[in-house]
Amino acid sequence: MKHNILKLLKDDFGEFVSGQKISEELGVSRAAIWKHMNSLKEDGYEIESISRKGYRIVSSPDLLNYDEIASLLNTELLGREIQYYKTIDSTNNFAKTNANFLKDGAVIISEEQTAGRGRLGRNWVSPLYKGVWMSIILKPDINPIYVSKITQVVAAAVNRAFFKLGIENKIKWPNDIIVNSKKVCGILTEMNAEINHVNYVVVGIGINVNLDNEDIPEDLKSKASSLRIESGKELKRKEVVAEILNNLEPLYKQFVESNDLEKSIDICRENSILIGREVKIIDRNQEYLAYACGLSDEGYLIIKDKDGNTKELISGEISVRDKNGYV
Ligand code: ADP
């Protein structure tokens, strides 16, 4: 009921909606409306009430629930179902546990993660109300060997979304987004598949949106930052989520429906922070220097090693660093 009341108020954003109208349209008592309004205020909505005129929304909180995000989406597939939590261990864990019951395109969002994860079992710092910690469930009808390419599609979409929000950024192959040489976003793609059938893919996207300096642990400060720290702007997190989903949908559909990665790869190439530089490749226990020449049409990083041999790296277990530091 609270959601329906909120929707009525939002449909007439800024205008007064009378208690009588709410009561008639939704079949609730005046007393119940009053209770729901108080509960909405507790959630952070600013609601003005004037006797005889009714209720009016003055401002909405920057929460990442369906009520706040849905009106910003122009997607058909992504984010049509949003599972929202205040706290969760890891949105990717939750998504994997529940993927069979959730629709293609469903999104899990939490205001904080207590055990956020990066690749290779690393941790991901995810403080309350400061970032976007979300996972998208995808059920593409593609061969499992192509699933890692989805990371490139998502990186391209995040890059576009940040530009739309006025933030210059680069992509660090395969899965990080960089602003001013620091990591502000990581992408973690996991899947569950049979030999030639994908059951589901979970794409985790962690974005440091409004983290302050003190939210970033000392040992990460040299390589991690937030959009707020780097741009000096406080962004609305719900707009960040919506931009990403809106930009991702067409690129993702091109890939799964037409097997066409061209646009995504073009974006990843044009915005790559690695191409044209000497980099350090960390491949399990082995480390070596190489020159990053380009990105193949398949989304693999093309490198030339010190003996002049060219090879293509598939993202899997590889990390790439600048030869002198992070990037
Ligand atoms: P990479 O791709 O750089 O090898 P991952 O994608 O596996 O790294 O991300 C995990 C690593 O990111 C962690 O080990 C940690 O160093 C760093 N990290 C953890 N939390 C954050 C965060 N909120 N923002 C940026 N970097 C983070």
Side-chain angles (χ1 to χ4, degrees):
M1 180 52 66
K2 191 161 108 181
H3 301 280
N4 296 338
I5 294 178
L6 183 58
K7 185 159 187 314
L8 264 188
L9 293 179
K10 283 193 158 205
D11 287 346
D12 281 328
F13 196 90
E15 303 292 319
F16 281 97
V17 183
S18 71
Q20 188 181 352
K21 178 173 167 183
I22 301 174
S23 161
E24 277 168 11
E25 288 202 14
L26 302 176
V28 272
S29 70
R30 295 295 188 93
I33 295 174
W34 178 250
K35 256 177 50 196
H36 288 304
M37 291 297 170
N38 283 337
S39 163
L40 285 169
K41 284 180 194 165
E42 272 166 29
D43 293 344
Y45 292 89
E46 214 182 315
I47 295 171
E48 188 181 1
S49 56
I50 295 185
S51 56
R52 291 174 191 284
K53 282 181 139 176
Y55 302 91
R56 177 172 87 103
I57 282 209
V58 179
S59 71
S60 302
D62 187 24
L63 295 176
L64 301 182
N65 55 31
Y66 186 79
D67 292 325
E68 289 308 306
I69 292 169
S71 59
L72 306 173
L73 292 177
N74 52 37
T75 54
E76 281 168 11
L77 175 73
L78 304 179
R80 296 333 312 185
E81 178 179 350
I82 294 179
Q83 298 262 338
Y84 171 73
Y85 297 90
K86 181 168 176 199
T87 184
I88 219 171
D89 58 346
S90 138
T91 58
N92 262 37
N93 284 354
F94 182 94
K96 288 199 291 184
T97 311
N98 295 285
N100 290 330
F101 314 107
L102 291 166
K103 281 197 226 119
D104 188 14
V107 172
I108 322 301
I109 302 188
S110 184
E111 298 287 3
E112 88 174 330
Q113 292 184 111
T114 53
R117 288 190 291 113
R119 293 188 310 153
L120 313 174
R122 294 171 184 147
N123 75 314
W124 187 268
V125 175
S126 322
L128 188 66
Y129 299 129
K130 297 277 184 144
V132 169
W133 327 119
M134 72 172 169
S135 298
I136 308 171
I137 292 175
L138 300 169
K139 302 188 173 177
D141 184 12
I142 59 173
N143 190 312
I145 60 173
Y146 299 136
V147 164
S148 68
K149 296 177 191 202
I150 292 177
T151 304
Q152 303 310 298
V153 177
V154 176
V158 175
N159 171 271
R160 290 295 89 188
F162 284 5
F163 269 112
K164 284 229 174 103
L165 294 162
I167 297 193
E168 299 257 346
N169 68 99
K170 296 274 184 196
I171 299 170
K172 178 171 160 283
W173 184 91
N175 68 323
D176 294 330
I177 306 292
I178 307 292
V179 174
N180 297 341
S181 303
K182 294 202 174 155
K183 171 162 156 180
V184 294
C185 165
I187 299 160
L188 174 65
T189 305
E190 301 185 278
M191 77 163 158
N192 181 300
E194 319 285 322
I195 286 175
N196 52 15
H197 173 76
V198 175
N199 296 324
Y200 59 82
V201 176
V202 169
V203 180
I205 307 177
I207 308 168
N208 301 337
V209 183
N210 292 326
L211 282 78
D212 296 299
N213 253 315
E214 55 270 26
D215 297 315
I216 298 180
E218 277 313 312
D219 58 327
L220 284 185
K221 279 195 163 69
S222 62
K223 62 176 187 175
S225 190
S226 74
L227 299 178
R228 175 196 246 168
I229 296 167
E230 296 308 318
S231 72
K233 283 191 281 195
E234 167 140 4
L235 295 177
K236 287 226 163 70
R237 296 174 308 143
K238 56 188 172 188
E239 288 173 8
V240 175
V241 173
E243 277 300 345
I244 289 175
L245 298 178
N246 289 342
N247 278 279
L248 177 57
E249 184 154 305
L251 294 172
Y252 175 71
K253 282 193 168 166
Q254 253 166 31
F255 173 53
V256 290
E257 287 169 10
S258 317
N259 197 16
D260 178 0
L261 264 183
E262 196 181 334
K263 190 153 181 214
S264 295
I265 297 300
D266 279 349
I267 294 169
C268 291
R269 256 190 213 119
E270 282 161 20
N271 296 282
S272 166
I273 200 164
L274 299 179
I275 295 173
R277 291 173 56 175
E278 255 216 280
V279 293
K280 183 165 77 183
I281 311 291
I282 307 166
D283 185 355
R284 291 173 213 209
N285 301 323
Q286 187 197 2
E287 279 189 23
Y288 56 96
L289 293 179
Y291 177 76
C293 317
L295 201 59
S296 75
D297 292 345
E298 303 292 301
Y300 305 141
L301 187 70
I302 307 168
I303 56 158
K304 200 183 256 186
D305 67 19
K306 63 177 188 341
D307 302 322
N309 302 318
T310 301
K311 17 180 212 194
E312 289 189 358
L313 303 182
I314 299 173
S315 65
E317 309 238 297
I318 292 168
S319 295
V320 188
R321 301 275 184 269
D322 181 77
K323 67 178 169 114
N324 301 314
Y326 180 59
V327 277

